[in-house]
Amino acid sequence: RRPGGATVVTLAMAAGPPPQLEPRTVPTFSEEGFGEKFLRKTRENPLVPLGCLCTAGALTYGLISFQRGHTRRSQLMMRARILAQGFTFVALLGGMVVTALKPRP
């Protein structure tokens, strides 16, 4: 209770009805399919798909070399695969940092 016997609720009711709030507009998003999302992400960070292709190529060529008995070439391709994976990981992290530092509209 406040001094004089008035409560907070009584004071609020005496002030009149609350002001009308403006209706909020909710943004609508269209459904994005796999192809559209893949193209958008590739445009945002083209080094990640490139690194994935290099990794897959080195792995495939290394496995083929291993199957044919070219152990030295196979070992070289497995090392190349590790380098390509590292490149892909660094590109992914770099893209995340750039996205996080971009100002929001």
Side-chain angles (χ1 to χ4, degrees):
R1 284 195 168 267
R2 294 203 175 225
T7 63
V8 175
V9 175
T10 309
L11 291 173
M13 289 174 34
Q20 292 294 322
L21 297 176
E22 295 290 323
R24 236 186 224 183
T25 57
V26 178
T28 57
F29 299 101
S30 62
E31 275 297 315
E32 186 178 39
F34 176 77
E36 293 91 15
K37 185 175 182 178
F38 179 78
L39 288 175
R40 179 176 56 84
K41 293 286 188 177
T42 301
R43 278 189 223 106
E44 287 175 7
N45 194 357
L47 296 178
V48 173
L50 178 67
C52 290
L53 286 174
C54 290
T55 301
L59 176 65
T60 303
Y61 190 59
L63 289 173
I64 290 169
S65 296
F66 180 73
Q67 184 183 22
R68 292 182 180 168
H70 303 131
T71 55
R72 184 152 171 78
R73 188 181 307 151
S74 174
Q75 285 294 315
L76 183 67
M77 286 297 106
M78 290 303 115
R79 291 183 184 129
R81 176 187 60 88
I82 296 298
L83 288 175
Q85 280 180 307
F87 172 79
T88 305
F89 183 71
V90 169
L92 184 64
L93 284 179
M96 289 171 56
V97 168
V98 168
T99 302
L101 294 177
K102 252 187 215 177
R104 302 272 178 192

